[in-house]
Amino acid sequence: MDKRSKIALYIIGAVIVFMMIAEVTKPKPLNWRDSYSASDKIPLGCYILFNELETFSAGEILTSERTIYEYLKRVDTTTPKSLVFINNYLSFDKEESLALMDFAEKGNTVFMSGNYFYGNAIDSLNIAVVRQYNNLYKKESDHKFTSPSLQKNNRLFKDVIENSHFSSIDTLNTTILGTVTTKDEDDFDETNPNFIKVNVGENGGQFILHTNPFAFTNYHLMADKADYAATVLSYLPKQQIIWDNNYKSGRKVITSPLRFILNNPALKWAFYISLFGLILFVIFRGKRTQRIIPVINKLENATVDFTRTIGELYYQHGDFSNIIEKKINYFLEFVRSHYYLDTNQLNQNFIEKLAVKSSNTKEDAKALVDYLVFLKSKTNHSEQELIELNKKIEHFTKHKL
């Protein structure tokens, strides 16, 4: 490969690397997609709720990852259970609706929270839902419980909310558990049921329906709506909960560009063989052309060793006066550079200023300065005086030197 080709490859590689870095490092916008999935930590996911759901369950949380018709054929219904659906809309075909009704008639509980409901199961309960399509995500609504003892858990939803309510119910079998109040076009309060319980069969089965799934999302649970959501779920009987993770707007789907290749057996094996061959080429080609990289030793910092050697030299020669002189000069330089004090006259005024600026007592400052003056007045010094000077300076500066 000639020099021009190598330069072109380097440039192309640099551009690709730069684009990858720019893509990885750019800030990601906040994802406001409706999800309600147990694994999503985005604002409209249900990660927090799912991890706190054991509080309301009589056993381990079961998770359904398939249609409810398929799941209920395999689950044990000999003991009562609660089936929990939370999504922006919930739709069930004929087989799924029959499975739900049969499940409830055996004495189980079906909890649904959604802005809208579709299917034969809902039709058989004789209820209808109205969804407000104006001012989505903006029109605030006041959610209240009908029980007087639960009024403290009422909440006003000011944002991230789509308002729905039940426009008709079967009064013989239905109990209203909560209401929603919004402003109509004339700015008058309009109150409608949005949280109901419908009795089914002769074995104590029930449908508990709620029209505000946003209340269970991470966004509102992280705010001040956790008590409201907990109160809604407290109407579930204390029995094992089945969490639906299939009827979700945020259900996990593979979106990789390689999805088509990996789903086709022939293309998948061709991709794997090509990738394996490329790895072998890089390994063996690298071994043939790689040159020995020389070992470069780490640069040593000889400053500390030099200082130690000079200090030992002074000390071994017993030149204590020279060492004391240098320590005094170094300390005074420290005072000038850190405390901005004039060190020409070590008088009473200097002692007072030094004590204030160094956060030491006046007595400690005076003891140190007097000892410095005493040492400066002598021509010969002993080892003990050097040790004493060092102790006083270290005590005074508290190791700031």
Side-chain angles (χ1 to χ4, degrees):
M1 185 180 294
D2 59 9
K3 185 176 181 180
R4 295 178 61 184
S5 298
K6 289 183 178 180
I7 293 175
L9 286 177
Y10 292 152
I11 293 175
I12 294 173
V15 171
I16 293 174
V17 171
F18 176 77
M19 293 176 63
M20 291 174 61
I21 294 175
E23 184 68 22
V24 170
T25 57
K26 73 176 182 180
K28 294 183 179 180
L30 192 60
N31 186 355
W32 286 98
R33 173 179 58 91
D34 289 0
S35 169
Y36 304 99
S37 174
S39 60
D40 274 340
K41 299 181 181 180
I42 60 177
L44 297 185
C46 284
Y47 177 83
I48 297 176
L49 174 66
F50 181 77
N51 285 274
E52 296 295 332
L53 206 58
E54 289 185 358
T55 307
F56 307 93
S57 179
E60 178 185 4
I61 303 296
L62 303 177
T63 303
S64 171
E65 300 286 351
R66 59 184 68 187
T67 66
I68 202 61
Y69 172 75
E70 296 175 301
Y71 182 80
L72 291 180
K73 288 195 302 183
R74 295 169 173 81
V75 72
D76 177 21
T77 57
T78 56
T79 56
K81 291 178 173 59
S82 296
L83 183 55
V84 175
F85 296 91
I86 299 176
N87 199 38
N88 52 357
Y89 71 92
L90 293 167
S91 177
F92 305 99
D93 60 23
K94 182 178 180 180
E95 288 76 14
E96 293 169 338
S97 297
L98 290 175
L100 283 175
M101 291 301 297
D102 181 66
F103 179 75
E105 288 173 355
K106 290 180 180 179
N108 299 291
T109 298
V110 178
F111 174 83
M112 297 183 187
S113 183
N115 292 123
Y116 209 76
F117 306 98
Y118 304 87
N120 295 348
I122 304 302
D123 295 338
S124 63
L125 298 178
N126 297 321
I127 63 172
V129 179
V130 172
R131 184 177 181 182
Q132 299 176 356
Y133 288 97
N134 57 332
N135 297 321
L136 295 185
Y137 289 90
K138 297 180 181 179
K139 198 169 186 179
E140 65 180 32
S141 54
D142 196 7
H143 293 249
K144 299 179 180 180
F145 296 101
T146 55
S147 173
S149 62
L150 300 178
Q151 297 305 302
K152 62 180 181 179
N153 295 330
N154 297 341
R155 289 295 183 272
L156 178 67
F157 288 79
K158 295 184 177 181
D159 56 3
V160 190
I161 182 71
E162 294 182 19
N163 296 312
S164 301
H165 64 268
F166 297 103
S167 58
S168 66
I169 59 176
D170 182 358
T171 56
L172 294 178
N173 298 308
T174 303
T175 303
I176 298 176
L177 305 177
T179 61
V180 57
T181 301
T182 57
K183 298 289 185 180
D184 60 16
E185 295 179 355
D186 298 323
D187 203 32
F188 290 106
D189 286 343
E190 183 178 282
T191 301
N192 295 284
N194 77 326
F195 181 32
I196 62 174
K197 180 181 72 171
V198 183
N199 297 321
V200 177
E202 304 295 331
N203 299 313
Q206 57 187 351
F207 277 78
I208 299 178
L209 306 177
H210 181 255
T211 63
N212 180 15
F214 289 88
F216 303 100
T217 59
N218 300 325
Y219 178 84
H220 286 299
L221 292 182
M222 289 292 289
D224 62 339
K225 310 300 189 299
D227 288 343
Y228 175 83
T231 304
V232 172
L233 293 176
S234 68
Y235 279 93
L236 296 177
K238 192 66 174 181
Q239 53 198 27
Q240 191 171 28
I241 289 177
I242 303 172
W243 169 268
D244 162 65
N245 213 34
N246 178 66
Y247 299 87
K248 301 292 185 185
S249 300
R251 185 175 58 181
K252 297 298 181 183
V253 178
I254 299 175
T255 58
S256 169
L258 295 176
R259 181 183 179 187
F260 176 76
I261 295 176
L262 296 178
N263 286 340
N264 188 306
L267 293 178
K268 179 176 69 174
W269 281 108
F271 173 75
Y272 287 154
I273 293 173
S274 300
L275 186 61
F276 181 70
L278 180 61
I279 293 173
L280 288 179
F281 172 79
V282 171
I283 292 174
F284 288 103
R285 182 67 177 173
K287 286 185 177 181
R288 287 171 59 88
T289 60
Q290 184 176 2
R291 293 179 298 176
I292 298 176
I293 300 175
V295 178
I296 301 176
N297 294 325
K298 182 180 179 182
L299 295 176
E300 297 182 357
N301 185 358
T303 304
V304 177
D305 294 335
F306 175 76
T307 305
R308 184 182 294 110
T309 302
I310 295 300
E312 291 177 353
L313 183 63
Y314 275 108
Y315 192 80
Q316 289 174 2
H317 282 76
D319 194 356
F320 304 117
S321 296
N322 200 338
I323 300 176
I324 287 176
E325 179 185 359
K326 286 179 169 52
K327 287 191 69 67
I328 292 175
N329 290 337
Y330 181 68
F331 172 74
L332 295 178
E333 173 61 26
F334 172 79
V335 171
R336 287 191 295 271
S337 61
H338 284 73
Y339 303 138
Y340 306 102
L341 296 176
D342 184 7
T343 59
N344 290 326
Q345 295 183 357
L346 306 180
N347 51 23
Q348 184 65 27
N349 186 38
F350 171 79
I351 293 173
E352 293 176 354
K353 291 181 179 180
L354 179 62
V356 172
K357 291 197 173 186
S358 65
S359 301
N360 282 280
T361 63
K362 185 176 179 181
E363 290 74 14
D364 289 342
K366 178 174 175 54
L368 176 58
V369 173
D370 288 346
Y371 197 66
L372 295 180
V373 174
F374 166 70
L375 293 178
K376 288 170 67 71
S377 65
K378 296 182 63 177
T379 56
N380 295 316
H381 303 85
S382 65
E383 179 182 0
Q384 186 59 37
E385 289 173 333
L386 173 60
I387 295 174
E388 183 64 22
L389 173 63
N390 187 68
K391 289 182 178 179
K392 288 183 177 294
I393 291 177
E394 286 188 347
H395 173 72
F396 186 82
T397 59
K398 298 180 179 64
H399 307 290
K400 292 181 181 178
L401 281 174

